[in-house]
């Protein structure tokens, strides 16, 4: 039983870690997207042409 | 037409996120003084550093005296003839004396000379035996400028000289001396590529180039420079310079030696006098040379000051290093460790210690030099890669324990 | 937000659910191994995490290598995005593999790490390389020098992948060989363990692909933002 507890703690630690990681990445992606939209709108860049800029 | 000493063909160079030079062409012939005077960020230093083979090219090719120096396919050859180089940073080591530094510059041209008259012309005669670290900013700049001019001053054959903002920090008399030297060296057939906005430097140009177009500017004939160099071939220059740096700065002792002694002391505190594990004891003995190696090459550490590494990379394929003394130090540290932990000198361990310190130092140096191109090389987490060396070390310890 | 932009998030969700299912099956459905085969049979169940994590780490390191090569030789912007995505995913999967391996090692060997085991060390080093690339990139301004340097390290690092693979065959000291063969003799037992591992590998693959897609998107957005801000500054 002790071994199973040990394993459960290890599993839970890793599940929490990947959940936090995934959540952070998704939030970062959405935040930067919102920021970009705001900046591009303020200088009047058409999002369809924006990819050309980043090259 | 005079002999072409420098040829830049269809150059494209990127720095950061922008392309600084595109389709840039330039020919510099004997007796040319080309002054680049474009606005800030237009690529003047980029041209000079590319010519000194310090920057990789996206496109194009650079030739010195007709021989390929660097091209966009990654070829990077040593210049057949020595050239003068003064970067924006002085590329000097604070612990070197003026005389030693300039003698090294002469040795790179396989020449020697009496440096006193040149130093006196720049008001540095009385300082020739002083350490560069004791000089003011302007005096140090004079040394860097003289180092750039020396290959041309020594030689009767045409040489290339690259000077990046040589006027920065020079006083009036030093500037006059520099302008006079440029004129006389030009008459002797040498060629200059200079980045500067200074009006007096621009006045001595035969061609003014703003990186888009150029204007020719005839110069009056002046007396020609008489070469002052005497041929003197010295082998293993990088090794000798590395040893001199180590002697003058004691950086090897301060960084690597002290680290190793601290490791020895710490392990001594942990040692259980009754332990009979050979692997553990041998590990303790070989830990000190390994730790000394992990600290990195002390000479390369010193040369990161003021871009001295870049200056050397421009002139030589082999940088000054602590390669010669590191096996000796490793041998001594392993012998000391063996006396402390095994109560006897074990020759096998001593030789292994020499090899471990030498090879660890080379690996760490390779890893550290790989990041030099970065904008902030000191900010990078390079030590994260060092554990690659723990595995071979552990295998050597295990092997030694079986002997 | 259009459907195309949602794809990485769908992958992440599917992968996460798959990983949870793998762990549930691994804990509750897959049979135990023979008591004699391991010092700590319960800890062996961590393999349902360890093996798929290592598998996805190799996928991520593969992407890192391809991205590094594309940037280094072709100067491809997509190559750089692949490099960044591969390094980040490789770091996460590498840490999961190393962590789960250490947990198992502590239970089974009595030590979480062995400095003389080549496979452990080369894998650990790959993870450190990914950490170096992720932290190093964040410490530098984006530019050709940064990209060239880190893609060179990405290329060097990939030498470790075949070395890690070969190391299992040649220098196997402590790290076990094929996991499934270490189980009971029963064919059904092996196949059910294999099935859980397969579901795990698939889930981790989907999950890590989702992560790499979203990472590539973030890098792309960051580049666009940088350009837009430069335009806003009035500079170039």
């Amino acid at each position: 039983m002790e071994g199973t507890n040990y394993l459960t703690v290890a599993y839970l630690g890793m599940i929490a870690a990947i959940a936090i990681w995934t959540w952070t990445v998704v939030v970062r992606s959405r935040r930067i997207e919102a920021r970009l939209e705001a900046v591009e709108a303020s200088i009047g860049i058409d999002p369809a042409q924006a990819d050309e800029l980043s090259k | 037409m005079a002999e072409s000493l420098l040829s830049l063909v269809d150059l494209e160079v990127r720095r950061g996120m922008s392309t600084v030079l595109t389709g840039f062409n330039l020919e510099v012939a004997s007796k040319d003084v080309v002054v680049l005077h474009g606005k800030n960020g237009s690529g003047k230093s980029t041209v000079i550093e590319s010519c000194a083979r310090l920057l990789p090219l996206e496109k194009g090719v650079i030739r010195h005296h007709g021989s390929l120096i660097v091209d966009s396919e990654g070829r990077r050859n040593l210049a057949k003839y020595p050239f003068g180089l003064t970067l924006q940073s002085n590329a000097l080591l604070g612990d070197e004396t003026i005389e030693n530094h300039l003698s090294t510059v002469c040795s790179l041209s396989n020449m020697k000379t009496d440096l006193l008259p040149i130093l006196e012309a720049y008001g540095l005669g009385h300082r020739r035996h002083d350490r560069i670290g004791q000089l003011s900013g302007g005096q140090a700049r004079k040394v860097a400028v003289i180092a750039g001019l020396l290959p041309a001053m020594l030689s009767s054959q045409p040489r290339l000289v690259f000077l990046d903002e040589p006027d920065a920090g020079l006083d009036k008399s030093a500037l006059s001396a520099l302008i006079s030297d440029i004129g006389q060296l030009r008459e002797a057939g040498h060629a200059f590529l200079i980045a500067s906005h200074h009006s007096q430097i621009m006045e001595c140009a035969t061609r003014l180039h703003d990186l888009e177009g150029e204007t020719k500017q005839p110069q009056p004939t002046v007396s020609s420079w008489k070469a002052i160099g005497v041929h003197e071939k010295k082998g293993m220059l990088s090794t000798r310079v590395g040893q001199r740096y180590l002697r003058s700065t004691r950086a090897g002792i301060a960084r690597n030696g002290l680290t190793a002694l601290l490791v020895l002391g710490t392990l001594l505190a942990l040692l259980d006098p009754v332990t009979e594990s050979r692997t553990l004891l041998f590990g303790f003995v070989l830990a000190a040379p390994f730790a000394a190696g992990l600290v990195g090459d002390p000479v390369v550490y010193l040369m990161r000051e003021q871009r001295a590494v870049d200056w050397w990379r421009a002139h030589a394929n082999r940088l000054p290093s602590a390669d010669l003394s590191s096996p000796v130090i490793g041998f001594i540290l392993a012998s000391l460790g063996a006396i402390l932990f095994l109560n006897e000198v074990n020759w096998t361990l001593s030789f292994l210690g020499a090899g471990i310190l030498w090879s660890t130092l080379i690996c760490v140096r390779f890893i550290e030099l790989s990041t030099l191109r970065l904008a902030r090389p000191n900010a990078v987490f390079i030590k994260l890669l060092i554990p690659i060396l723990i595995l071979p070390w552990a295998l050597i310890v295990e092997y030694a324990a079986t002997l | 937000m259009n459907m195309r932009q949602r794809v990485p998030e769908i992958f992440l969700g599917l992968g996460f659910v798959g990983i949870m299912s793998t762990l549930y099956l691994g804990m509750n459905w897959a049979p135990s191994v023979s008591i004699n085969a391991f010092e700590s049979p319960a800890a062996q169940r961590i393999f349902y995490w360890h093996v798929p994590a290592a598998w996805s780490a190799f996928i991520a390191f593969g992407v890192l290598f391809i991205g590094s090569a594309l940037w280094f030789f072709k100067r491809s912007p997509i190559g750089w995005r692949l490099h960044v995505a591969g390094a980040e995913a490789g770091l996460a999967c590498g840490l999961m593999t190393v962590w789960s391996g250490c947990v198992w090692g502590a239970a089974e060997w009595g030590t979480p790490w062995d400095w003389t085991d080549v496979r452990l060390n080369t894998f650990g080093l790959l993870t450190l390389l990914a950490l170096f690339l992720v932290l190093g990139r964040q410490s530098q301004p984006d530019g050709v020098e940064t990209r060239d340097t880190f893609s060179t390290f990405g290329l060097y690092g990939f030498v470790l992948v075949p070395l890690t693979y070969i190391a299992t065959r040649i220098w196997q000291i402590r790290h076990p060989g094929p996991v499934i063969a270490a189980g009971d003799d029963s064919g059904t037992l092996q196949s059910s363990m294999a099935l859980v591992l397969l579901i795990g590998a698939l889930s981790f693959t989907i999950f890590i692909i989702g992560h790499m897609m979203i990472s590539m998107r973030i890098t792309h957005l960051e580049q666009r933002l940088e350009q837009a801000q430069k335009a806003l500054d009035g500079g170039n």
Side-chain angles (χ1 to χ4, degrees), chain C residues 213-226:
Chain C
M213 285 165 81
I214 207 160
S215 169
M216 284 178 74
R217 185 165 162 68
I218 288 175
T219 314
H220 185 46
L221 291 174
E222 280 173 347
Q223 288 166 354
R224 269 172 58 184
L225 187 65
E226 179 70 23

Side-chain angles (χ1 to χ4, degrees), chain C residues 124-174:
Chain C
L125 195 76
L126 266 174
T127 309
L128 276 179
L129 176 81
L131 181 64
F132 165 73
L133 294 175
V134 170
L135 292 179
R137 188 179 62 84
Q138 287 171 0
S139 74
Q140 304 294 322
D142 193 12
V144 69
E145 299 86 356
T146 305
R147 295 182 181 194
D148 281 356
T149 304
F150 290 119
S151 57
T152 311
F153 277 105
L155 291 174
Y156 284 149
F158 200 71
V159 175
L160 289 170
V161 174
L163 187 67
T164 311
Y165 177 77
I166 295 163
T168 346
R169 316 279 158 203
I170 300 174
W171 289 302
Q172 188 181 316
I173 296 172
R174 276 195 163 156

Side-chain angles (χ1 to χ4, degrees), chain B residues 16 58 373 376 381 388 391, chain C residues 75 115 139-140 144-145 148:
Chain B
E58 298 294 314
R373 252 190 90 202
R376 300 173 61 221
F381 296 77
I388 193 172
L391 171 67
Chain C
R75 286 290 158 89
W115 279 112
S139 74
Q140 304 294 322
V144 69
E145 299 86 356
D148 281 356

Side-chain angles (χ1 to χ4, degrees), chain B residues 305-321:
Chain B
E305 212 176 308
Q306 297 185 8
R307 296 188 66 195
V309 172
D310 279 344
W311 188 88
W312 267 97
R313 276 177 59 225
H315 291 291
N317 282 338
R318 198 167 169 276
L319 293 176
S321 67

